[in-house]
Structures are given as structure tokens and as C-alpha cells.
Amino acid sequence: MNPRLQRRFGGLRALGLGARFALSGGRESTVRAALMAIGVGLGVAMLLLAASVPTARHHRDERTHARIDVNLDDRAIDASDHTVLIDDMDTVFRGKEIRGRMVQPEGSAAPLPPGLQRFPRPGEMIVSPALNRLLTSSGSDLLRERLAHPVAGEVGDAGLLDPGEYVFYLGGDHLVAGVGDTRRLDHFGKTYPRKPLSPELVLLGIAGIVVLLVPIGVFIAAAVRFGGEHRDRRLAALRLIGADRRMTATVAAGEAALSTLAGTVLGAALFLTGRQFSELVEIQGLSVFTEDLTPEPVLVLLTVVAVFALSLLVTRLSMHKVSVEPLGVVRRSAGTTRRLWWRIALPVLGLVVLRVIVQNPSGLHGGSGVALVAVGMLALLVGVTAVMPWTVERLTRLCGGYGPLSWQLALRRMQLSSEAATRSVNGIAVAVAGAVALQTLFTGLAHTPADSAARPADRSPASHTRIGVARLDSGAGNTAAYAPAFAATPGVQEAVGFAELSVSPPDGGFSQTVRIADCAQLRRLASLPSCSDGDAFLTAPPGTDRAHDLTTWKAGTTLRVDADGSRWKTPRITATAPATSADPADDAAERILLATPGAAGPTVTTHAVSTVRLTCTTTTEDVQDRVRTTAAKLDPSFAVDFPGQPKGDAALDGIWRALLAGVAAVLLLIAASMLLGALEQIRDRARVLAVLSAFGTRRRTLAGSVLWQTALPVGLGLLVAGLIGTTLGGTLLGIVGRPVVHNWSTLLAIAGIGAVASVGVTLLTLPTLWRSTRPQGLRHE
């Protein structure tokens, strides 16, 4: 036979022999193959979940575009049988945002919002399943009072971004197009090209993908090494009967390939099973529909190829320390010292790539910039796994020779097999390093220089009060009745009611604010010398700079009211008075005109917005929800805002929530990895533990040694992870020119979660440890 063909068929036979060893090599081989399959299966399930992200995002974007209810065509729509009136009724309940719309069809062919089978009748409400559950749950009395309308049905999936979204549609019969936010539509939905994300958001997305995928790769690499010592002894026996290194490596590859195949099938089964329950799971406020979790075919193929390639590569690299002794055992060369230079070279290479090569943030929109950032991050994170064995080896050498017996047993075990000691904690170290980098990056992106120097946004005189503003686009004539209703709400200290509108020069120009109320209300807004109906006053927020004041208040000046073209003449200014309090929504220093109804006249009053300025105490429970409930009872179209509460970037917050959900899932995966690794190590040492127990070693001492074997590498890993994570986060912020701002409490919490997970996993292994110390463990074949 041709030698080349003989080698090829010999390799195939060696692969088959490895597969036979995995299936029929005894209990040890079966357990090892099962552990490998479970580990690989968990990793594959996570990768399939990651491969579903593009599909989930595409479906979410389609649903977002389909329910757009704004006329983006900038064209006039006349009332017809095919139009509908719609008004916004968004609200908030205990921090949960609720999307609300009032709909009023103008004909039998009016377009239905996505997810609705019919329009709700006036006064009826159609709600999302999540909102329906919230309304019927205990502790939602305030929300039930606010949305006190009969529920006539549920919104379908087509009208929701995710299963946990809170949405309702209320039927109306008094909407008028052009009044307030009420608008007329002849269709729902709009398709428009996606706007490119800012370099900051692109960078955060790249960082999230790398941070989430690298720990999974580390986890799969560790799973392939389960039971490595038993495998090495079996392969050494093959060397004794004449097998060469190539054949033993091929046998090991066959064994790993079979376990990887079984793990891939198991991972697919786990993913398909978990997919059916996806709508019941919510992480960091995010949930997905079942059909959203459909992996991209190309990514599925790439996942399978990558998992098999990683499995074979790790198996091949682990074989270089297998040697044959006369009795067929494996001995690792204990005198060899690990070299540090190439281990440090990995993170240094990552820093060089990120700091030197990637200098222009605009390059993040190109393929080369994305690839360079990914390579730099990959080098830094993989550097954690490279530095960890050297660090553990050096520490065990320095700390050996003293300490309690459990400490000595742990150190000796780590000296004999430092790779096994660090392999189980590499995943948690990489995950923590990535989480720290993400937190540092997000904190820097969300931070603005004005955050630390800005005064409190509510400008309230005491820290236990908060300012709120309630506005109603119609009904300016009832302002005097609205303020007492709010004032009677528990937790409201003061309610000042007035009508508000904007005026500007006829040819355009700077918009100016007019507030209309009786003298009693105006005295609560400014220190007036005297007041009677027909007076008008100028005032500006206290402590503001008039250098940029662009207002021009002159008696008899003709101004345009809002944008409808109505004309109004400025009344005679009675006096200029200092403001006693300021509306938190006004950040400018311009002068505001305070006018009595007699001075303003009926023309502007009909165009004004009913406004109630509220001063609330934070010591009253659910005061904000009580205010919103009062507003809804007065008129469902009332909009309540508390400007003192920070409002972040919606896109940035959305990406951050998705990344937090991914980090939580990865940490669960790493905890499972550590548990499997710890169980595998105890199983591998079962006979040694049984011998130690037979010679009188207390179980408490053995448990302490197992705990030290986990705690020491974990402590070192968290230290290295914190250093590399903060360095990586600061470097990424440098790419987009943002200052480094650390949220130390959050960073310590991330490290604490990693430490607690490690200790908790160790405690879960104690029952297996007790079983391993029984006399039956002395049996050996």
C-alpha cells in the first residue's frame, strides 16, 4: 500500500480507537466523556444564543418600525374614513416605563395599530400581557387607580418590542387633531435607513461581544481538559506498547472529537429546550420572543467549526507534557519554571494595538478598525489566562513550608498541578476582567463633565424635596381647579397652577415664555410689590447670568403665539420682580413674563398649556406615583415630569442593559464550569483523599484544603482581572477621547460576585468530597 495512504488510514484507525476509548474505556473514561460533553454542551448553547442576537435585533427593529405613530412624511393628512387620531399617554410606575396611546378612529377603515384586532371603545383599554399581570398583582393599587378603565383585550406580539413591555391603548372620543400632541394618521409604521451609531456606541458593542465570547471559549477549553490525568496515563500505556507521539495525539484527538460531537448535540438540545421558555425569562429588564431566538445559519456553522477546532487545538497542546516511564505513568517535569516574558507580551501587545494602531474613532465604522479593537481586547483578556499559572506557581513557591495542614495540602496540590488549579478559575477571572472593563467603559461614556459640578436639577431648597411639573395641552381655563387637586395629594407640599405658552417675533427668532395666573398664584412665583388684575411682571430665575438674555419685552410689541400664526401684543409691564422659585425645566436665564388674565387677554389664554408646578416631599412613599395617579384622574392626557431625575442616552442604556444580561448569563456559565471542574478534580483525587482519610486526616482539614485550592487562585485571578480590566476600560475610553471615571463601588461588587460564586461552587463540592473519603475509595484496579 502507498505509505501516504497507509498513514492516512492509520490516522483514521487511531481516531476510531480514541472514540472507542471514550465509549468503552471503563467507568473513568465514560465519566470523563460525559463531563466533557456537558461542558462543551453548555458552551455551545451559549454560542447559539449569541448567534441569535442578530435575528433578535432584526425582529425588534421591524416591530419598532411597524408601530411608529408619527407622521414622518411631513405632509398634511385630511380626515377621512381611513384615518385615526392618536395621542401620547406614556406614564411611569415605580420606575417602570409604560407606553400609552389614546386612539380614536375617524372611520370604519381606520388603520389599526400593530398588535390590535380591533379599536377599543371609548373608555376601554387594551393592554399588553405584562401590563395586565402588573395591574392584577398585589401592590399595584395606585396603578389601578391611574388606569381605571375596563380591560377589553390584550396587545399581540406584533405590537410589542418584547414580552415584558408595558403597553396600553385607550379608546377616546374627544380628540382633536393639532391640539397638544394629538395627530392624525392614515397608516402606522415607517421604514427608514438605520443611522450609523456613534463611535462610543460602536466601541461599547465591540467590547461587549468580545467580553461575552472570550469566557465561553475559555470555558470550552477547560471542559476539553476534564479528566486529563487519566487520559494521559492511558496514552502513556499506548506509548509503552509501541505507539509513537503522532498516534497518541491522534487517539487523544479522536476521544476529544467524540465528546465534542456529543457536546455539540447536547448544546443544540439545551438551546432548543431553553428557547421554548425564553418568554418567561427576564434579565436586566430584557426579554425576547421565542421566534427571536433563531440563530443565523452562517454563525451556527462557524460555531460548530470553532468548537471542534478549539477542542482539537487544546488537546494537541496538552499532549506535549505527556512522557513515558517504565511503569507507564505520566510525569510532568517539576523542575521547569514557567517563563513570564511571553505571558506579559500578550497584554502588552493588546495595549499597543489599542493605543498606537487605533487612534481615530471614526475608524470604528470600518472593518479594519473593528478587527483591531477586537484583536487588542482579545490579547488583553487572554493575557489573564496566560499570567494566572505563572502567578500561582510563584506564590505557591513563596508561601510553602509553613501554615496549617489544610494550607500545606492545598499548596502541595497546586505545586504538583498548577494548571489544574488555575484552569477552573480562568473563566471567572476572564469574565470579571471583561465585566470590569465594560463597567469602566460605560461609566466613562455616561459621565459628562457637568455631572459633578452641576447643581441639583430640581433646585429644591432641601434634599428631602423634589420638584415636579404637570402639564395638560388643553383646558387652560381650568388651571385654578387643577392646583388644589394636586395640593391634596399625599406628599405634595405646594402646587402652583398657571397657564403657559411660548411667543416669538412674527419673522421667527427667539422663543419667549409667558405665564398667566391670578395674583395669588403669581405671588408664589415671584416677590411682587403689588398686584391686581391687568398687571404684568418680568422675572428671571434667581442666581442666573443675564449675559445671554435674548428676550425683548416691550409694551405694544406684536408677537406670534406658538406656531399657529395668531398675533398678540405685549401688555404694559408693571414692574420687574425677583423670582421666589424657578421651574426646573427652564435652564436658561431669560426673563419670563408673568401676566394676570386681564393683561394677557383671551387670545393667548386659549392657546396656553395648563401647568402645575409641584413641590413634593421624598419622605412620603410612592409620592411620584400618587401625583401621576391624581393627574390621570383629572385628565388622562396629563403629562407629569420630575426634571430632577437624570435621563440617560436611550441607545446607550439599551446597549448597557443587553450587555448586563449577557454578563449575567456568562457568569452563570462560568459558575457551572467551576462546579464541573471542581467535581472532576475531586473525582481524580478520590483515591488520594481516601488514603489521607484512612490515615486519620480529618474531613475538616480536607475540606479546608479544597477551599484553599479555590480561594487562592480565585483571589489572585480577581486581582489580575481587576488590573487588566481597569486598564482595558481606560484604554478603550482613550480611543474615543473620554476621561477615565471609575465607579469603585460597582467594580468591588463585580469582584465580590466573582468571589462569592467561587466559594459557593466550592461548598457545593463538599458532598462529593465526603463520598470520596469513604473506605470504598481505597479500591483500585
Side-chain angles (χ1 to χ4, degrees), residues 1-13:
M1 181 182 293
N2 189 319
R4 182 179 298 178
L5 293 176
Q6 187 175 1
R7 286 195 301 269
R8 181 176 300 177
F9 284 111
L12 292 176
R13 285 196 298 269

Side-chain angles (χ1 to χ4, degrees), residues 488-542:
T489 303
V492 176
Q493 296 177 333
E494 183 184 42
V496 183
F498 50 87
E500 185 177 74
L501 74 154
S502 295
V503 294
S504 59
D507 56 352
F510 187 77
S511 178
Q512 303 174 149
T513 301
V514 180
R515 289 173 180 167
I516 307 168
D518 56 29
C519 288
Q521 298 296 319
L522 293 183
R523 286 194 178 95
R524 301 165 75 177
L525 294 175
S527 300
L528 306 181
S530 63
C531 181
S532 61
D533 192 22
D535 290 341
F537 307 90
L538 283 182
T539 183

